[in-house]
Amino acid sequence: MTKTIYLDYAATTPVDPRVAETLTKYLTPDGIFGNPASRSHALGWQAEAAVEQARKQVAALIGCDAREVVWTSGATESDNLAIKGAAQAASQRGRHIITSRVEHKAVLDCFEWLETQGFEVTWLDPDHTGRVAPDTVADALREDTILVSLMAVNNELGVCNDIERVGAMLREKGVIFHVDAAQATGKMALDVSRMPVDLMALSAHKVYGPKGVGALYVRRSPDVVVAAQMHGGGHERGLRSGTLATHQIAAMGHAFALADAQLEDERAELERLRARFLDGLAELPGVHVHGHETQRVPGILNLGFEDIDGESLILALRGLAVSSGSACASATMEPSYVLRGIGLPESIAQGSLRFSFGRFTTAEEVDEAAGRVVEAVGRLRDHAAGRRATV
Ligand SMILES: *Cc1c(COP(=O)(O)O)cnc(C)c1O
């Protein structure tokens, strides 16, 4: 069996070996294993120092103050805390909330739940590239709108929303703006001092950190009020109780610092790999690149293959780790709601795959992957043509 070529970085990334080393420094008896909330001995203070250094590293990547970073178990929890917490806290002012149909399930499911709790949701449709036009947000605003949630980068398409414009408009109206930035960190410059957002969800495992840790940016001055969803102990300014996972947090900080330092180089390299992969597919007819030509991150490439069933293609591509739809939705084997959401006909949505590249992807892997795709798509089409000819 040949080695699997991993082209599913948008689902998760391996932990950078440098980060893995950090992870191990906070676990064992000879390490800094203390409880960061222990105030009476050095092991506690050292753990606290590690947590606070990581807080600064995460803050540096998004341009906020370290005091605005709240640790969570991942972007799913951050989305829950932001959306449910902000909606609950502002429910006296209004009960209308807005999001798009192509958000991550962590956002969609929170909005659906809030609908059962007496909130009214406007579900925005993206344009055919997957972007939500700022005007559609403006048109949906009402007197009683309290919260808007949009993703910075779509996890299936890689397209970027115009967070700055939407944010400026919402800031003027006093509407809280939450941004799911799990796919944006390390892939594009983020600066919340320039992007007027109030809440931002982050995850470590999309940025070469470990799974199970994330953060929520909660803007201060003026404070964004968020109702806690996890009670007990009052950690993290009372917003998220629970003993801090020092090893995970230190690792996330390290991963974000590396992402910050390498941002431009990685972007350029991923752009080269993307172009190289598309070059490798150039001889194949009937291939569509979904999403937006320029308003996108380089590492995520969603392709539609005419006259191909995506599941058959995935089977034919055994040895290539790619995805049809997002990892969370593909358990259901339904065609991707994101691809349907941008108005793709079922036949093309069915025959679409997401290829996502990352830090450890090599040019050789990209060439090999493109070759296998050309071969597999050609073979599947020949089979289908053969079947048609014999009936
Ligand atoms: C991966 C992802 C999430 C979920 O993050 P976890 O840390 O796995 O909970 C949320 N939103 C987007 C856009 C993602 O890509």
Side-chain angles (χ1 to χ4, degrees):
M1 176 84 190
T2 46
K3 190 164 170 284
T4 298
I5 299 178
Y6 188 73
L7 297 180
D8 205 12
Y9 279 80
T12 193
T13 60
V15 174
D16 188 296
R18 294 167 288 180
V19 173
E21 217 166 278
T22 297
L23 199 50
T24 61
K25 289 204 312 206
Y26 299 91
L27 294 167
T28 46
D30 58 338
I32 302 166
F33 64 86
N35 187 328
S38 293
R39 293 284 147 80
S40 51
H41 53 73
L43 279 168
W45 307 328
Q46 288 164 358
E48 191 194 17
V51 166
E52 294 315 314
Q53 187 196 328
R55 208 187 291 279
K56 287 196 192 113
Q57 290 169 317
V58 168
L61 186 76
I62 64 166
C64 74
D65 188 295
R67 289 170 299 177
E68 297 173 310
V69 174
V70 174
W71 300 116
T72 67
S73 63
T76 299
E77 187 190 335
S78 300
D79 284 330
N80 272 262
L81 175 56
I83 296 165
K84 295 179 190 168
Q88 283 168 8
S91 62
Q92 296 306 315
R93 282 198 281 124
R95 302 197 134 240
H96 179 234
I97 54 182
I98 300 172
T99 192
S100 88
R101 292 189 196 281
V102 292
E103 298 299 306
H104 191 272
K105 286 282 183 192
V107 169
L108 295 180
D109 288 356
C110 287
F111 274 78
E112 271 176 26
W113 182 78
L114 285 169
E115 252 176 350
T116 71
Q117 303 299 304
F119 289 86
E120 200 187 324
V121 178
T122 297
W123 303 94
L124 302 176
D125 287 312
D127 65 18
H128 71 283
T129 71
R131 304 182 84 210
V132 178
D135 284 351
T136 66
V137 180
D139 292 345
L141 288 176
R142 310 191 320 207
E143 279 299 306
D144 60 341
T145 308
I146 51 168
L147 170 72
V148 175
S149 179
L150 287 182
M151 64 210 314
V153 173
N154 184 279
N155 50 302
E156 288 192 36
L157 295 164
V159 298
C160 308
N161 277 319
D162 193 342
I163 297 302
E164 259 177 87
R165 270 204 35 218
V166 174
M169 178 173 74
L170 296 178
R171 179 67 50 89
E172 206 171 282
K173 308 257 183 204
V175 175
I176 300 167
F177 189 23
H178 169 59
V179 172
D180 180 337
Q183 291 290 347
T185 44
K187 300 184 181 131
M188 58 183 278
L190 287 170
D191 183 0
V192 294
S193 64
R194 225 174 13 83
M195 298 166 128
V197 307
D198 301 306
L199 300 158
M200 185 180 270
L202 308 168
S203 178
H205 77 95
K206 306 284 172 68
V207 200
Y208 312 98
K211 295 165 187 61
V213 61
L216 180 66
Y217 157 73
V218 182
R219 190 168 65 86
R220 287 164 62 104
S221 64
D223 278 9
V224 177
V225 186
V226 174
Q229 304 294 306
M230 184 79 77
H231 302 95
H235 306 73
E236 299 296 283
R237 293 197 274 140
L239 283 177
R240 204 281 194 170
S241 289
T243 300
L244 293 176
T246 317
H247 62 305
Q248 306 259 68
I249 289 169
M252 178 167 174
H254 192 181
F256 272 47
L258 292 174
D260 208 1
Q262 296 178 215
L263 185 69
E264 285 314 317
D265 290 346
E266 290 203 286
R267 243 182 109 85
E269 175 60 16
L270 289 175
E271 202 62 65
R272 279 192 289 274
L273 291 174
R274 179 185 195 274
R276 189 174 179 116
F277 185 66
L278 284 174
D279 270 353
L281 301 182
E283 61 180 89
L284 201 59
V287 181
H288 301 267
V289 181
H290 304 320
H292 198 281
E293 250 174 68
T294 54
Q295 299 301 310
R296 54 163 181 78
V297 293
I300 299 175
L301 191 53
N302 200 313
L303 300 179
F305 300 92
E306 284 174 20
D307 305 318
I308 288 288
D309 168 60
E311 295 303 332
S312 313
L313 184 54
I314 285 202
L315 282 178
L317 289 175
R318 251 184 322 225
L320 280 196
V322 297
S323 118
S324 64
S326 68
C328 334
S330 56
T332 61
M333 287 294 208
E334 279 174 29
S336 148
Y337 66 88
V338 173
L339 297 185
R340 269 184 293 158
I342 60 171
L344 286 183
E346 198 87 344
S347 58
I348 291 283
Q350 283 284 3
S352 294
L353 292 184
R354 179 187 68 187
F355 301 85
S356 46
F357 312 100
R359 186 173 291 168
F360 306 106
T361 308
T362 63
E364 293 70 38
E365 285 179 321
V366 162
D367 293 345
E368 169 73 22
R372 288 201 220 167
V373 171
V374 170
E375 190 274 326
V377 169
R379 186 155 42 83
L380 288 171
R381 282 181 180 156
D382 286 348
H383 269 290
R387 269 205 309 279
R388 276 198 300 277
T390 52
V391 287

